[in-house]
Amino acid sequence: MKHYMNHHMIAFFVGFLLDLILGDPYCFPHPVRLIGKLITGSEKILRGIGIRGKDKKADDNRNELLQGIGLVIIVIISVVAVSSLLVFMAYWLHPVLGVGVECVMTYQILAVKCLKVESMKVYRCLKNGNPEQARKAVSMIVGRDTECLDEEGVAKAAIETVAENTSDGVIAPMLYLAIGGPIIGFLYKAINTMDSMIGYKNDKYLYFGRAAAKLDDFVNFLPARISAGLMISASFFAGRNFSGKGAWEIYKRDRRKHASPNSGQTEAVCAGALSIKLGGDASYFGRAVKKPYIGEAVRKVEYEDIKRVNHLMYITAWLCEVLCLLVMYAIVMSSAHP
């Protein structure tokens, strides 16, 4: 156990550094894309399976719920089986190979640099006075409709995405990696990917995607709140453009204003730290959705805030990485001295 923990700590840190350096190269096949193909393929097969009774609508809804549960089970079993096989086989062959495989898998689970790269594409388009390209760039990282967004709306969408994904794409997977290595890390990533693909409250996925959405809410409940706490801490020493006090105050007031039980946690911190107002009405799949505002408009949102939220995300990520390593080191030392 002690030897594995030492190996795990090395892989955990090196994988984090690889993510900061390499990000997500487009030429490199990413496991999450394979998970996405598994979800798509399973959906096509499962939607053809069901029973019919007298009440067609009730049967359809029940069938979709069961089909969605089936998809969740298929994806989880597949991902855990493959990741377990890779990790155990690598360590069985040689510890160095095991550490190497775990480093790569850890790197693939985290999304710090990828999140920054994609959001900074929006920043550059806005800075260069190209709102049309900015709308196109932000459409790649948000689920809302972007065609009618003005420049402030585009910047807000990018900021909100970075704030929310500081939890979903960085801190939550990092915590699960720390607890259970790449096996639990990929399990979390599979759940999060299912939610991002089918966890919508529209006609197509209201019932089919419900199991995935509820499971995602569950696995993100504690990580979202830990992420908020880390981001508040980061706000106090991120620089003069950030307000630690504002982050804490807005977090206390507005963290429950989001429809998701988790997304509002880091979004509220971000709004308070930057002294801006986020949230508000948005359009999804052509349907207007009423959403409350989060934060106070001490000043207007500007495209420079995209750089600022990325800076905040990086500090939050480093805080989490260091704290996880310290906890793992404490566990190793306690096991060495019973």
Side-chain angles (χ1 to χ4, degrees):
M1 178 64 180
K2 179 184 175 183
H3 291 302
Y4 172 71
M5 282 298 294
N6 289 331
H7 297 151
H8 178 47
M9 288 174 65
I10 294 169
F12 184 75
F13 182 62
V14 174
F16 176 67
L17 291 182
L18 285 174
D19 178 56
L20 296 184
I21 296 166
L22 300 177
D24 183 13
Y26 294 111
C27 60
F28 193 77
H30 201 288
V32 172
R33 298 189 186 102
L34 297 178
I35 294 172
K37 290 181 179 179
L38 174 62
I39 294 167
T40 302
S42 300
E43 179 182 352
K44 288 179 181 178
I45 295 170
L46 288 167
R47 280 193 181 274
I49 302 172
I51 58 173
R52 290 288 181 269
K54 293 181 180 180
D55 190 340
K56 183 178 183 301
K57 185 175 182 181
D59 286 337
D60 286 344
N61 293 344
R62 182 180 64 174
N63 284 337
E64 288 195 13
L65 278 171
L66 293 174
Q67 290 160 0
I69 293 171
L71 183 143
V72 168
I73 294 171
I74 289 169
V75 172
I76 285 177
I77 290 175
S78 301
V79 170
V80 170
V82 172
S83 56
S84 298
L85 181 64
L86 287 172
V87 172
F88 288 129
M89 281 296 294
Y91 273 107
W92 179 73
L93 289 170
H94 198 280
V96 174
L97 178 62
V99 172
V101 168
E102 188 174 347
C103 284
V104 173
M105 293 175 76
T106 299
Y107 147 60
Q108 292 174 324
I109 290 168
L110 300 173
V112 183
K113 186 172 182 180
C114 177
L115 189 55
K116 179 182 178 181
V117 167
E118 295 302 319
S119 60
M120 288 302 290
K121 290 178 182 177
V122 182
Y123 167 81
R124 285 191 292 273
C125 290
L126 290 174
K127 187 175 182 180
N128 294 332
N130 196 334
E132 188 60 36
Q133 285 299 314
R135 281 190 283 270
K136 184 177 179 181
V138 83
S139 72
M140 304 302 292
I141 57 173
V142 301
R144 72 188 69 179
D145 301 329
T146 61
E147 296 85 356
C148 298
L149 293 178
D150 58 14
E151 293 187 27
E152 182 178 349
V154 170
K156 279 176 61 178
I159 294 161
E160 289 168 8
T161 295
V162 175
E164 180 179 340
N165 281 284
T166 297
S167 177
D168 290 1
V170 180
I171 304 304
M174 194 181 294
L175 293 172
Y176 283 111
L177 279 165
I179 293 168
I183 299 170
I184 302 301
F186 268 114
L187 170 61
Y188 169 80
K189 206 68 177 176
I191 294 170
N192 194 241
T193 304
M194 283 189 286
D195 179 64
S196 67
M197 291 181 66
I198 65 172
Y200 295 105
K201 293 181 178 179
N202 56 21
D203 293 338
K204 184 177 181 180
Y205 289 119
L206 181 62
Y207 293 97
F208 187 86
R210 183 171 295 178
K214 293 297 183 183
L215 184 57
D216 185 75
D217 286 343
F218 175 75
V219 299
N220 276 300
F221 187 84
L222 281 176
R225 284 144 185 83
I226 293 171
S227 300
L230 291 170
M231 189 180 279
I232 291 169
S233 301
S235 301
F236 278 98
F237 51 86
R240 59 185 180 84
N241 291 316
F242 301 87
S243 170
K245 181 180 178 182
W248 171 241
E249 293 296 331
I250 297 299
Y251 171 73
K252 286 192 299 180
R253 192 192 74 182
D254 292 352
R255 68 185 185 276
R256 296 188 182 94
K257 286 187 176 181
H258 202 284
S260 164
N262 302 319
S263 298
Q265 301 289 317
T266 47
E267 194 171 320
V269 175
C270 177
L274 295 176
S275 304
I276 57 176
K277 183 185 285 186
L278 299 174
D281 298 347
S283 174
Y284 296 86
F285 304 101
R287 180 181 298 177
V289 177
K290 293 285 184 182
K291 298 171 66 176
Y293 285 103
I294 294 175
E296 291 288 345
V298 178
R299 60 175 181 80
K300 286 187 66 175
V301 175
E302 57 188 24
Y303 59 76
E304 289 293 332
D305 288 319
I306 300 174
K307 285 181 67 175
R308 293 174 186 134
V309 72
N310 276 301
H311 179 60
L312 191 61
M313 186 246 310
Y314 264 68
I315 297 175
T316 304
W318 270 106
L319 278 176
C320 187
E321 179 73 16
V322 170
L323 288 173
C324 287
L325 286 169
L326 288 174
V327 170
M328 285 189 277
Y329 180 73
I331 293 171
V332 170
M333 293 306 294
S334 64
S335 64
H337 304 284

